[in-house]
Amino acid sequence: MLRELQKRMEEFHMVSPKDKVFVGVSGGADSVCLLLVLLELQKEMDFVVEAIHVEHGIRGEESLEDAAFVEDLCQQFHVPCHTIGVDVPAYCMQTGLGTEEAARVLRYQIFERLASEENAKIALAHHQEDNAETILFQMVRGSSLTGLCGMQPMRRDENGVCYIRPLLDWHREEIENYLKQCGVKWRVDSTNAQLDYSRNFLRAQVIPKLEQINTQAVEHINQTAGHLAEIK
């Protein structure tokens, strides 16, 4: 799998020699896996890995434990770790945004600031199931063709910050199996079970129903988004 991942990164020119790559590490399986595989690939592809953990201030002690877990993990693998706290509830009050969107906005503000200061790229751990959720979410709220194309393996935002998603071809099950093989644990966000969050509802209720129709539903949704991106 590492060889396939390296080929994918080379295909999209995700990194160049001497690049600095900040990995967004929440402590969940996806981001822990991304950190580990990039640490392996940096030996051959000659880039620098550092971690960013954003503590959102919305889950009390559990959130602080996530931050401590990420810091301990990074110390174990000798990776510099930047832990930054934000106040999502206060931002929700100021802007009227929901918790999900407010957390995302603040998180990306941190990514953008650090990437700009350090001339670095941001690596995010989205995978096939994440992309399928995003595409379905865009569909039900009424999206342009751009939204239906889903996430891209590599993109630059309007400020020139480069985001890479090396795991976009991987399934969640593959990610967890990789961590089990490595003997590395991860954290589970308790809010993932709260179905009042749109993406949680899609993940827990909608996608399993679609997989009852076709067990390859997630893969086919990703393939369709890829076809749309080609003709866009």
Side-chain angles (χ1 to χ4, degrees), residues 185-196:
K185 296 181 179 181
W186 63 89
R187 298 279 295 174
V188 177
D189 184 342
S190 63
T191 63
N192 288 343
Q194 297 178 11
L195 298 185
D196 51 337

Side-chain angles (χ1 to χ4, degrees), residues 27-67:
D30 315 331
S31 61
V32 171
C33 178
L34 179 60
L35 179 64
L36 295 189
V37 296
L38 290 183
L39 287 174
E40 285 296 316
L41 292 179
Q42 76 171 158
K43 301 171 185 176
E44 295 187 29
M45 300 180 71
D46 192 25
F47 57 90
V48 177
V49 172
E50 296 189 13
I52 301 174
H53 176 80
V54 180
E55 197 279 295
H56 295 95
I58 54 178
R59 289 181 293 115
E61 188 63 28
E62 180 183 342
S63 185
L64 297 177
E65 290 173 358
D66 287 348

Side-chain angles (χ1 to χ4, degrees), residues 172-190:
R172 171 77 183 200
E173 183 178 6
E174 294 177 295
I175 287 170
E176 292 188 359
N177 287 339
Y178 181 86
L179 292 179
K180 290 174 184 176
Q181 292 170 10
C182 294
V184 175
K185 296 181 179 181
W186 63 89
R187 298 279 295 174
V188 177
D189 184 342
S190 63

Side-chain angles (χ1 to χ4, degrees), residues 20-130:
K20 176 178 285 189
V21 179
F22 283 129
V23 185
V25 185
S26 67
D30 315 331
S31 61
V32 171
C33 178
L34 179 60
L35 179 64
L36 295 189
V37 296
L38 290 183
L39 287 174
E40 285 296 316
L41 292 179
Q42 76 171 158
K43 301 171 185 176
E44 295 187 29
M45 300 180 71
D46 192 25
F47 57 90
V48 177
V49 172
E50 296 189 13
I52 301 174
H53 176 80
V54 180
E55 197 279 295
H56 295 95
I58 54 178
R59 289 181 293 115
E61 188 63 28
E62 180 183 342
S63 185
L64 297 177
E65 290 173 358
D66 287 348
F69 171 85
V70 172
E71 290 171 352
D72 289 345
L73 181 73
C74 290
Q75 185 174 14
Q76 177 185 345
F77 288 97
H78 308 290
V79 179
C81 181
H82 307 262
T83 300
I84 300 171
V86 296
D87 191 341
V88 170
Y91 192 70
C92 289
M93 292 290 291
Q94 293 170 9
T95 63
L97 293 174
T99 301
E100 273 187 299
E101 184 61 20
R104 183 185 183 279
V105 169
L106 291 177
R107 187 165 59 250
Y108 274 81
Q109 285 179 358
I110 298 298
F111 291 160
E112 180 181 323
R113 177 171 63 81
L114 288 180
S116 299
E117 289 175 355
E118 300 287 337
N119 190 28
K121 295 177 177 178
I122 302 293
L124 303 176
H126 297 113
H127 49 74
Q128 284 211 25
E129 281 77 7
D130 289 328

Side-chain angles (χ1 to χ4, degrees), residues 131 146 149-155 163-165 168 225 229:
N131 200 27
T146 298
C149 291
M151 302 176 186
Q152 301 304 307
M154 180 173 175
R155 74 172 181 90
Y163 293 89
I164 61 174
R165 294 182 172 90
L168 205 53

Side-chain angles (χ1 to χ4, degrees), residues 133-209:
E133 290 165 20
T134 296
I135 294 162
L136 291 172
F137 182 72
Q138 298 282 24
M139 287 178 64
V140 297
R141 74 174 188 176
S143 173
S144 66
L145 182 58
T146 298
L148 298 181
C149 291
M151 302 176 186
Q152 301 304 307
M154 180 173 175
R155 74 172 181 90
R156 287 189 182 274
D157 69 10
E158 61 276 8
N159 297 307
V161 176
C162 182
Y163 293 89
I164 61 174
R165 294 182 172 90
L167 300 184
L168 205 53
D169 285 342
W170 286 29
H171 285 280
R172 171 77 183 200
E173 183 178 6
E174 294 177 295
I175 287 170
E176 292 188 359
N177 287 339
Y178 181 86
L179 292 179
K180 290 174 184 176
Q181 292 170 10
C182 294
V184 175
K185 296 181 179 181
W186 63 89
R187 298 279 295 174
V188 177
D189 184 342
S190 63
T191 63
N192 288 343
Q194 297 178 11
L195 298 185
D196 51 337
Y197 291 137
S198 301
R199 291 183 181 273
N200 290 353
F201 182 79
L202 289 169
R203 183 183 311 123
Q205 299 289 330
V206 177
I207 288 180
K209 297 294 185 184

